[in-house]
Amino acid sequence: MARRRAAPASGGTSPGKLIAVVAILIGLALVSLRLLPGSPFESTAAARWGEPTAPAERSTDSPTNRKDRPAPAPSPSPKAELEPLPFAAKDLDLDIEGWYSWSVLDRRTGEIIGSDNMGETSTTASLIKSWIVADYLRRAADAGQTPGDAKLADATRIIRDSDNTRTEQFYNSLGRSASITRLLSLCKLTDSSVASDRGWSRTNLSPRDTARLGQCIADGRAAGPKWTKWLLNEMRLVRGTGDFGIRKAFPAAEQKTIAIKNGWVDRTREQEIHINCLAIGDTWTMGVMVRYPITKGYEYGMNNCRKITEALLRTAN
């Protein structure tokens, strides 16, 4: 009877298995050496201690890479200084009887200078006609209408010659005091007020708001883009009795470039004369107002409007 060969003990290890285990251990040791910083077996693909793991994350501060860095943004150039306005802010102590006030607005910056009382109001008289014509022209354009030659001729008479009858017609067509309410809102006036139904001549403006009205006309808000140039040209062509005041303080050649609208009225109830001057230059607008005893006549105030302007001009320093 043949003998059966006994099976190997379960805890024994064959030579083949032992060789496999040794090979695995040697492989693990080599891998460890390749990952160890400074090892001669270190892989060039492995990350060094403290270095990013991908080329895109590596520092670009090396001399070879620094040229690829974006150049720093240049420092902003300092703003060019604006040419000073022809007026200097200063206190005036003039030999003028009655009340007077003035204000100048820098059209480039919106800055306003003026007398301490530049927020006090006075009745505008004919100065407000500049707004009435502007309001008429802007509203006509907004309604898709173009005033005919006759209406434009009326507007010319109102501005250049201060025609009261035609002003009243325009004022009625604009809703009377509703037009002044639009002025306060559109031109952002802060001191002025509507004179209810006492008429356009009794509108109350301050010199500061007069300068703002000038800017409102100059920048196109008052008459609208279609008619602003036309209105400013008409205001440069003011003639006759209404041609006095602010622009008379400038050289003759420069006077032609300055748009104006003035107002003058004797208030018998108050026993005063009210003289008001609005002027629009290339970089500035100005308002001057005076009130004084009625016995002194119109020329007294008209001359003082120019006198105040002359005292504020830088050439007078």
Side-chain angles (χ1 to χ4, degrees), residues 19-131:
I19 292 171
V21 170
V22 171
I24 290 172
L25 291 175
I26 293 172
L28 290 174
L30 289 174
V31 169
S32 298
L33 288 172
R34 286 168 63 82
L35 295 178
L36 183 65
S39 167
F41 298 99
E42 181 185 4
S43 170
T44 57
R48 297 182 186 274
W49 184 260
E51 287 189 350
T53 58
E57 296 174 346
R58 295 181 184 272
S59 170
T60 57
D61 281 337
S62 66
T64 55
N65 290 332
R66 193 173 294 127
K67 62 182 180 180
D68 297 326
R69 296 177 64 187
S75 300
S77 302
K79 292 183 179 179
E81 291 188 9
L82 297 174
E83 287 291 324
L85 295 181
F87 309 96
K90 56 184 174 181
D91 295 328
L92 299 182
D93 185 13
L94 304 175
D95 184 19
I96 295 177
E97 186 173 349
W99 173 91
Y100 65 92
S101 179
W102 64 274
S103 183
V104 172
L105 183 148
D106 188 330
R107 290 181 54 193
R108 304 161 300 181
T109 65
E111 181 183 1
I112 296 176
I113 60 173
S115 55
D116 291 340
N117 60 351
M118 65 178 173
E120 295 181 20
T121 63
S122 191
T123 63
T124 62
S126 293
L127 183 150
I128 201 64
K129 293 172 182 175
S130 59
W131 165 257

Side-chain angles (χ1 to χ4, degrees), residues 132 150 153-155 157-158 163-171:
I132 292 173
D154 286 345
R157 291 287 298 276
I158 292 171
D163 187 289
N164 288 336
T165 301
R166 289 172 172 82
T167 301
E168 190 69 18
Q169 293 170 352
F170 273 49
Y171 192 59

Side-chain angles (χ1 to χ4, degrees), residues 70-242:
S75 300
S77 302
K79 292 183 179 179
E81 291 188 9
L82 297 174
E83 287 291 324
L85 295 181
F87 309 96
K90 56 184 174 181
D91 295 328
L92 299 182
D93 185 13
L94 304 175
D95 184 19
I96 295 177
E97 186 173 349
W99 173 91
Y100 65 92
S101 179
W102 64 274
S103 183
V104 172
L105 183 148
D106 188 330
R107 290 181 54 193
R108 304 161 300 181
T109 65
E111 181 183 1
I112 296 176
I113 60 173
S115 55
D116 291 340
N117 60 351
M118 65 178 173
E120 295 181 20
T121 63
S122 191
T123 63
T124 62
S126 293
L127 183 150
I128 201 64
K129 293 172 182 175
S130 59
W131 165 257
I132 292 173
V133 170
D135 195 30
Y136 171 80
L137 294 171
R138 185 194 71 261
R139 285 168 62 81
D142 288 348
Q145 302 169 355
T146 300
D149 291 343
K151 275 295 184 183
L152 289 179
D154 286 345
T156 290
R157 291 287 298 276
I158 292 171
I159 298 297
R160 296 192 199 182
D161 303 316
S162 212
D163 187 289
N164 288 336
T165 301
R166 289 172 172 82
T167 301
E168 190 69 18
Q169 293 170 352
F170 273 49
Y171 192 59
N172 287 334
S173 72
L174 294 168
R176 297 187 66 80
S177 61
S179 176
I180 307 304
T181 299
R182 287 190 291 271
L183 162 65
L184 304 184
S185 174
L186 185 64
C187 298
K188 302 187 185 309
L189 308 189
T190 60
D191 312 317
S192 306
S193 61
V194 179
S196 299
D197 288 328
R198 298 172 67 188
W200 48 265
S201 177
R202 283 277 182 179
T203 300
N204 289 289
L205 290 188
S206 65
R208 175 166 54 194
D209 278 351
T210 298
R212 287 172 174 151
L213 168 58
Q215 173 66 349
C216 192
I217 292 172
D219 66 20
R221 283 175 290 159
K226 183 176 181 179
W227 292 105
T228 294
K229 185 177 179 180
W230 183 92
L231 178 56
L232 286 170
N233 185 64
E234 291 299 311
M235 293 174 68
R236 294 185 186 103
L237 297 174
V238 168
R239 58 199 173 191
T241 307

